[in-house]
Amino acid sequence: MKRVRIGLAVAGSLVLLTGCGSVVTGTPRAEGSYGGSDSQEFANVLQECEAVTDEQIAGAVGADAVGRGFFGAICRWDGIGAAGPIKITFNWFETGTLDHERAAFEHLGYVVAKIDINGSGGYQVRQPADPQSCGVSASAPAGGVFGWWVTEPQGGADPCDAAAKLGALTLNRSI
């Protein structure tokens, strides 16, 4: 009986070891030795978060100052206004379209209205359950679509006005 158990354990170990093996192709490099590539494809990645200055963001939302949070495909800032904390979000999808943005917001049950931002067509977006939040989306001159979302505290400034100001500032910078 003991031999059977040992035989099963060895066989099971062999199956696990054989099933977990893989071949990795390429040339190994020491950790930290990669110095980038000659490709310019991602040369300006995250610069869209610089489309509007922190001072302009603070002014548009009525904050004394804003603090940078996460920067990636979506950029975030936090500010403090007279009524309390303000949340600001910016996104830019270089292959996105306004039609896709509108459809996504409508699918989520948001209220979507056409607006004009500096002569460019766009959408204003509201969450019915959150009157202190508002966003705008517009086509970016360099391609794709961008959006701003502002959440003001109760008694704070109009979040739609702040989002529209940020949209206009972004279009002035021509991302």
Side-chain angles (χ1 to χ4, degrees), residues 32 37 51 61 75 107 119 148 159 166 173 175:
S37 70
V61 302
C75 314
H107 177 75
W148 285 95
L166 291 166
R173 294 289 305 266
I175 62 170

Side-chain angles (χ1 to χ4, degrees), residues 119-145:
S120 179
Y123 292 105
Q124 180 184 76
V125 184
R126 295 201 79 130
Q127 281 183 308
D130 187 4
Q132 292 308 119
S133 293
C134 186
V136 298
S137 292
S139 294
V145 64

